[in-house]
Amino acid sequence: MQKFSVIVLMTILLSSCASSTEEKKNTRQPSKQWWKESVIYQIYPRSFKDTNGDGVGDLKGIIEKLDYIKSLGVTAVWLNPIYSSPNDDNGYDVSDYRNIMQDFGTMDDFDQMLEGMHDRGLKLIMDVVVNHSSDEHEWFKQSRSSRNNPYRNYYHWWSAEKGKPPYRYSLFDEKGDAWKYDPLTKAYYLHYFSQKQPDLNWENPKLRQEVYDIMKFWADKGVDGFRLDAFGFAAKDTTFPVFPEGYEKEFSKYYSMQGNLHQYLQEMNEQVFSKYKVMSVAEGAGNSFQDAHNLVDEDRKELNMAYAFEGVDIAKPDGYSLRHFKEVFSRWDSAFAQKGWLSIFLANHDQARLVSRFGNDSPEFREASAKMLNTFILSMRGTPYCYYGDELGMTNIGFTSIEQYKDISAINGYKKVLNSGGNIEAYLTDLKFGSRDNGRTPMQWDDSTQAGFTTGTPWLPVNSNYSQINVALQENEPNSVLNYFRKIVQLRKDNPVLVYGDYQLLEPAHPDIYAYTRTLEGKKMLVLLNFTSKTTRIQLQEMGSVKETLINNYSSVKMEEGEVSLQPYQAVIFSL
Ligand code: GLC
Ligand code: CA
């Protein structure tokens, strides 16, 4: 500690001589927008807070926790789907887009929740699931009832007399087949996801108009943004050409960004986004930087920000290379440095827990690595998305048998492996690490039964570590992951350099430390993150200009003569 303060004093003296006029040429002036400055908190409503003891989280639960959400410093909430749904895929199969799922409450609850958010200065982003609907949606009931029904063309049908349709891969189907035969009208319908999620026909202008009207309904209620679920897949070549054998290994190339997708987005922008002050983000970002750019190039008037998966896909059960991680995030940043805007995230409802996938969830390193990863998310250029529970460092639950899983993709994936004679053990090992259910266990509020999530039986078990990892405990602990999260959020909000500043990667080849600077209008910050469980050092000329430690997940940091030594999973941000 003492050594630290002497060195800091030295560096402060030294840095006062350093020039602050450097790096003028590369700086751009990105347009300032509320959604760029937002810190988004994602809530999986099923798992956040149950108020009536049925074991399922609800809107009243979110209302009850609005002060908590506000206390995090986050400025917007993205809610996973809350519309009426038979819950084949937990709300991603919508049966009525203008109603609230019974499990979650009523429209009155919704109105009250939205008002409560707005009263606290929080914006609300709704999930719009319109690549497909539920097979229990009225449109589909009509559509399947006869070949002449006016809703027939709301979906994709292939008449049986044409023979079997060309193979289409399904992500959730237990046979992997996206065509389901319906004897009622002797035709197959298309479902990229489960059989209960038939794909909507975006080539039909009537369907598109229905969707825009639905979006206007919610925009009129005052919601502040939309996240477009699986939207990259919406446009299709309805002649259904034969795809090359084995295409499913890279199905996204064949499914994503096809046909008239950009025109549909421009139409949606014209009819909805431009008429309201709402933000928009699609799930996925196409197959290339060009696709991603085209989605969010302001001049094209489509969407506001890209949400690319390359970063979150890096973590694997046997680990990942930090060099690769740095390379991916740096490549995306530079591709968007002049134009467009990115989302920054390492977790969501389709991923396992942040700390278990990218950090270290052992008792020794869980807290430090959770803080370090949150520092990363909140110090990059792009809008940060923080998933509920990651502010506590919640971990994977680690199910070992298929009976424990609730997620349709896990269950049908299991059947598929079983049917095809694949390796079940390997499949279960992968699930244990990466299953979506890991990231969906109930929020851990306190150490009472069921972690204070419910008085009943939770729909998915509470992680058994809840008595060590919960909000109540962390509230009272100044150095908890939770209180650190609040600090790093505040730091970002106080410093536009962390939002808009240029990003520059330092020492790309360093295997353990991620080091970068952020620079804006003469302000400069240095971010240092140790991604390993060992103490490690890095030499940086920037260390000579360190002025102040802005945040640190340890109580000190060792620096001497251009070198800094970081403890396991240490994260530090300095001003330069
Ligand atoms: C998106 C959602 C995922 C859902 C799927 C089908 O990928 O994020 O949760 O299962 O679309 O709607
Ligand atoms: Ca409930």
Side-chain angles (χ1 to χ4, degrees):
M1 279 290 258
Q2 266 185 353
K3 187 172 171 194
F4 167 61
S5 44
V6 170
I7 292 165
V8 167
L9 195 74
M10 257 169 51
T11 48
I12 289 174
L13 290 172
L14 280 172
S15 65
S16 57
C17 318
S19 152
S20 63
T21 55
E22 53 198 322
E23 287 179 27
K24 275 269 155 65
K25 50 184 185 322
N26 279 333
T27 44
R28 60 168 185 165
Q29 291 297 322
S31 69
K32 298 218 153 116
Q33 306 284 354
W34 68 264
W35 42 265
K36 293 183 180 172
E37 292 167 25
S38 287
V39 176
I40 297 177
Y41 185 65
Q42 186 192 343
I43 295 180
Y44 199 65
R46 228 179 165 67
S47 302
F48 198 59
K49 172 72 187 167
D50 172 28
T51 54
N52 63 351
D54 65 357
V56 176
D58 41 52
L59 299 188
K60 283 206 165 78
I62 297 174
I63 295 170
E64 203 181 292
K65 296 298 182 185
L66 285 175
D67 286 335
Y68 170 76
I69 298 166
K70 174 75 184 162
S71 82
L72 298 174
V74 300
T75 60
V77 171
W78 157 24
L79 264 194
N80 291 104
I82 54 170
Y83 319 99
S84 305
S85 166
N87 281 310
D88 193 49
D89 184 21
N90 290 354
Y92 280 97
D93 46 323
V94 179
S95 55
D96 182 352
Y97 291 96
R98 287 185 175 82
N99 249 315
I100 303 296
M101 188 194 300
Q102 265 177 15
D103 285 350
F104 290 168
T106 64
M107 195 59 90
D108 280 348
D109 295 340
F110 176 85
D111 293 337
Q112 209 190 317
M113 178 188 73
L114 183 60
E115 201 185 319
M117 287 182 178
H118 286 167
D119 285 350
R120 289 167 181 79
L122 296 165
K123 308 233 187 240
L124 176 62
I125 297 158
M126 297 285 275
D127 215 317
V128 182
V129 191
V130 288
N131 170 69
H132 45 270
S133 73
S134 163
D135 66 340
E136 296 182 33
H137 193 290
E138 188 56 32
W139 296 337
F140 191 74
K141 290 185 190 163
Q142 294 285 337
S143 183
R144 72 177 288 243
S145 67
S146 91
R147 288 191 182 187
N148 306 322
N149 187 281
Y151 289 91
R152 187 68 169 180
N153 286 334
Y154 274 40
Y155 297 86
H156 298 286
W157 291 98
W158 180 277
S159 307
E161 60 272 18
K162 292 200 284 179
K164 274 207 117 192
Y167 167 57
R168 286 295 180 272
Y169 164 75
S170 161
L171 284 85
F172 291 172
D173 188 69
E174 55 179 273
K175 296 203 181 76
D177 183 359
W179 290 108
K180 162 113 175 120
Y181 181 67
D182 188 6
L184 201 62
T185 55
K186 299 193 172 49
Y188 300 83
Y189 69 84
L190 185 73
H191 62 91
Y192 277 179
F193 294 92
S194 88
Q195 294 186 356
K196 287 182 67 62
Q197 294 169 297
D199 282 50
L200 288 161
N201 179 6
W202 273 78
E203 275 54 59
N204 178 352
K206 265 195 176 159
L207 176 275
R208 299 204 296 275
Q209 195 56 52
E210 297 258 21
V211 172
Y212 308 146
D213 290 347
I214 289 165
M215 294 173 83
K216 286 183 207 160
F217 169 85
W218 292 99
D220 282 330
K221 278 191 166 287
V223 310
D224 306 284
F226 295 108
R227 177 255 184 193
L228 301 179
D229 179 71
F231 198 74
F233 296 168
K236 291 169 181 94
D237 178 346
T238 52
T239 64
F240 294 106
V242 175
F243 290 156
E245 208 172 312
Y247 89 89
E248 65 276 10
K249 291 189 195 81
E250 40 175 11
F251 67 91
S252 171
K253 265 198 192 161
Y254 294 82
Y255 283 11
S256 186
M257 314 296 296
Q258 299 301 302
N260 296 324
L261 192 83
H262 288 295
Q263 275 106 294
Y264 303 156
L265 285 170
Q266 282 159 17
E267 194 178 64
M268 186 185 283
N269 186 305
E270 202 260 310
Q271 289 221 24
V272 187
F273 304 146
S274 67
K275 303 276 192 301
Y276 301 84
K277 281 202 193 98
V278 290
M279 67 77 98
S280 54
V281 52
E283 183 190 22
N287 298 312
S288 63
F289 285 138
Q290 194 54 48
D291 283 347
H293 268 286
N294 288 346
L295 285 172
V296 297
D297 179 336
E298 285 174 33
D299 302 333
R300 292 172 57 99
K301 299 196 168 46
E302 295 185 20
L303 299 172
N304 291 145
M305 64 176 114
Y307 188 95
F309 287 121
E310 195 177 349
V312 78
D313 285 344
I314 293 173
K316 297 282 179 276
D318 49 0
Y320 65 97
S321 128
L322 176 65
R323 283 193 198 131
H324 179 206
F325 185 94
K326 294 197 260 190
E327 187 272 318
V328 169
F329 277 95
S330 303
R331 181 157 40 79
W332 276 89
D333 181 86
S334 72
F336 284 75
Q338 301 304 324
K339 224 176 182 191
W341 194 253
L342 289 172
S343 312
I344 303 290
F345 65 100
L346 287 176
N348 62 36
H349 65 292
D350 293 329
Q351 308 289 334
R353 280 287 165 190
L354 172 74
V355 72
S356 302
R357 284 186 87 219
F358 286 95
N360 186 327
D361 62 9
S362 72
E364 194 181 356
F365 298 121
R366 185 187 59 81
E367 292 193 19
S369 66
K371 291 173 188 171
M372 186 277 288
L373 292 165
N374 284 327
T375 311
F376 169 72
I377 295 167
L378 286 149
S379 64
M380 287 293 283
R381 175 159 56 185
T383 299
Y385 286 70
C386 307
Y387 189 54
Y388 88 94
D390 284 345
E391 76 273 28
L392 309 175
M394 273 173 60
T395 66
N396 279 0
I397 191 159
F399 291 149
T400 50
S401 109
I402 193 65
E403 285 71 38
Q404 293 169 298
Y405 291 93
K406 291 280 190 303
D407 176 16
I408 180 160
S409 99
I411 295 167
N412 283 356
Y414 182 88
K415 290 182 190 158
K416 201 169 142 193
V417 176
L418 209 62
N419 291 337
S420 62
N423 184 340
I424 279 290
E425 280 316 306
Y427 181 75
L428 284 176
T429 307
D430 283 356
L431 271 191
K432 187 173 178 190
F433 174 76
S435 161
R436 310 197 294 182
D437 279 342
N438 277 310
R440 297 176 176 183
T441 61
M443 178 69 170
Q444 294 163 206
W445 293 106
D446 56 40
D447 66 1
S448 66
T449 333
Q450 309 298 3
F453 164 70
T454 181
T455 54
T457 307
W459 75 277
L460 192 66
V462 169
N463 195 309
S464 60
N465 61 19
Y466 73 90
S467 49
Q468 293 93 55
I469 306 173
N470 64 62
V471 174
L473 199 73
Q474 295 196 22
E475 284 287 3
N476 300 321
E477 166 55 59
N479 292 322
S480 63
V481 182
L482 173 62
N483 283 319
Y484 182 89
F485 180 83
R486 290 176 169 138
K487 275 185 221 151
I488 180 71
V489 170
Q490 194 56 46
L491 187 69
R492 185 179 180 94
K493 292 203 298 187
D494 290 345
N495 290 281
V497 59
L498 288 176
V499 176
Y500 294 109
D502 277 340
Y503 158 95
Q504 167 114 47
L505 175 66
L506 308 174
E507 297 298 327
H510 197 292
D512 305 324
I513 292 176
Y514 195 164
Y516 48 94
T517 54
R518 304 290 315 276
T519 311
L520 183 74
E521 292 159 359
K523 282 222 160 168
K524 190 162 183 175
M525 289 186 185
L526 171 64
V527 182
L528 297 177
L529 309 168
N530 179 359
F531 270 68
T532 72
S533 58
K534 57 184 193 221
T535 299
T536 180
R537 308 162 165 268
I538 191 168
Q539 290 212 329
L540 291 168
Q541 70 185 46
E542 283 75 8
M543 291 311 298
S545 339
V546 165
K547 288 186 188 141
E548 213 188 321
T549 307
L550 300 172
I551 196 161
N552 183 355
N553 64 347
Y554 279 75
S555 55
S556 64
V557 56
K558 283 198 206 115
M559 301 189 276
E560 49 205 357
E561 291 166 20
E563 185 175 273
V564 59
S565 161
L566 297 181
Q567 298 181 66
Y569 300 104
Q570 185 159 18
V572 195
I573 302 182
F574 297 115
S575 60
L576 299 181

